[in-house]
Amino acid sequence: MNSVGEACTELKREYDQCFNRWFAEKFLKGESDGDPCGQLFKRYQLCVQKAIKEKDIPIEGLEFMGPSKGKTENNS
Amino acid sequence: HPWDTVIKAAMRKYPNPMNPSVVGVDVLDRSLDNQGRLHSHRLLSTEWGLPSIVKAILGTSRTLTYIEEHSVVDPVEKKMELSSTNITLTNLVSVDERLVYTPHPENPEKTVLTQEAIITVKGISLSSYLESLMASTISSNARKGRDALEWVISKLNTELEELKSTREGMKQAMAAASPEK
């Protein structure tokens, strides 16, 4: 599955792999000891936000998205 | 299928041959709330393969339409809620969908999906064209109906007149025919 930004597809794949594993093996089993994919997500997200701006996709509030309360922990 | 299986699949729904028009999925944001629920905000890119004339009519140079999707997964309560709405072509139509996946109350090997979609057609141009088309059809039919009645009435009046003059004629003829005794 591609990303909206062609350049982001690889970053997306890496993040997706990490997320899907965590989601199935940890989250759904009730072990939410933090999402280990934080770094991958950050890189991927930056790429996507850039693509969205470039393609002028009308998403509200995207530029204000940032760390919010209860956001997943970054594990390095 | 049990809830866990369905939810894992739902998170990885695209691509699939049943939804060939979904060409891109991106996660815009994801977070855990203080109740341990996972919130995801995603962007779906869809390509309908609109012929260029349709695009010209829609007044868009975009080939892709975009959908925003929010989902909340509660692993304790075993509930996944999704809601999505289109964020392009919004001047013409709104398609709002809501899906809820929960385990089947009697059979844990099954999952229940409740789904609803609200489709709203908007757009000054399209709806007012339809409205004025309907209004003119109704009024021209009404006029036709009035004309038809007028025609029937006048036909009846003519017959009535003819009947009257015939009766008069007959009366006169009878009067003339019956000699005074």
Side-chain angles (χ1 to χ4, degrees), chain B:
Chain B
H1 296 280
W3 186 81
D4 279 39
T5 306
V6 172
I7 299 312
K8 281 184 241 179
M11 275 313 210
R12 306 172 65 165
K13 191 173 175 185
Y14 307 104
N16 73 70
M18 271 59 82
N19 299 93
S21 54
V22 178
V23 299
V25 179
D26 281 291
V27 181
L28 299 174
D29 198 20
R30 197 163 251 157
S31 59
L32 281 170
D33 67 18
N34 49 21
Q35 290 166 54
R37 299 181 303 188
L38 184 71
H39 294 248
S40 307
H41 183 190
R42 300 201 305 179
L43 176 71
L44 275 58
S45 313
T46 61
E47 172 62 79
W48 296 99
L50 295 174
S52 46
I53 185 139
V54 177
K55 282 189 250 178
I57 292 168
L58 292 179
T60 177
S61 56
R62 289 185 194 277
T63 56
L64 293 169
T65 58
Y66 295 104
I67 295 166
E68 247 187 89
E69 180 204 84
H70 276 95
S71 63
V72 184
V73 184
D74 188 334
V76 174
E77 209 192 299
K78 289 203 194 290
K79 186 176 181 194
M80 177 174 186
E81 290 179 59
L82 289 114
S83 63
S84 68
T85 185
N86 58 308
I87 55 173
T88 51
L89 298 184
T90 47
N91 55 328
L92 284 177
V93 68
S94 268
V95 181
D96 297 302
E97 267 205 319
R98 205 170 156 238
L99 289 81
V100 183
Y101 292 100
T102 47
H104 192 283
E106 274 131 43
N107 184 348
E109 293 303 300
K110 289 198 183 151
T111 303
V112 174
L113 166 64
T114 314
Q115 187 169 6
E116 69 185 48
I118 301 168
I119 299 167
T120 316
V121 178
K122 312 170 186 173
I124 308 263
S125 50
L126 208 61
S127 72
S128 81
Y129 171 71
L130 284 174
E131 270 186 51
S132 65
L133 180 68
M134 283 171 62
S136 77
T137 306
I138 288 168
S139 86
S140 88
N141 279 350
R143 205 175 317 122
K144 274 191 215 161
R146 267 204 315 270
D147 291 349
L149 286 186
E150 291 281 343
W151 181 87
V152 171
I153 288 166
S154 85
K155 193 155 182 269
L156 287 180
N157 279 345
T158 312
E159 283 179 2
L160 210 58
E161 288 301 324
E162 282 174 1
L163 204 60
K164 268 196 217 157
S165 57
T166 310
R167 220 181 295 148
E168 276 303 320
M170 277 172 69
K171 259 202 240 167
Q172 283 169 19
M174 276 164 62
S178 57
E180 285 224 84
K181 283 224 176 94

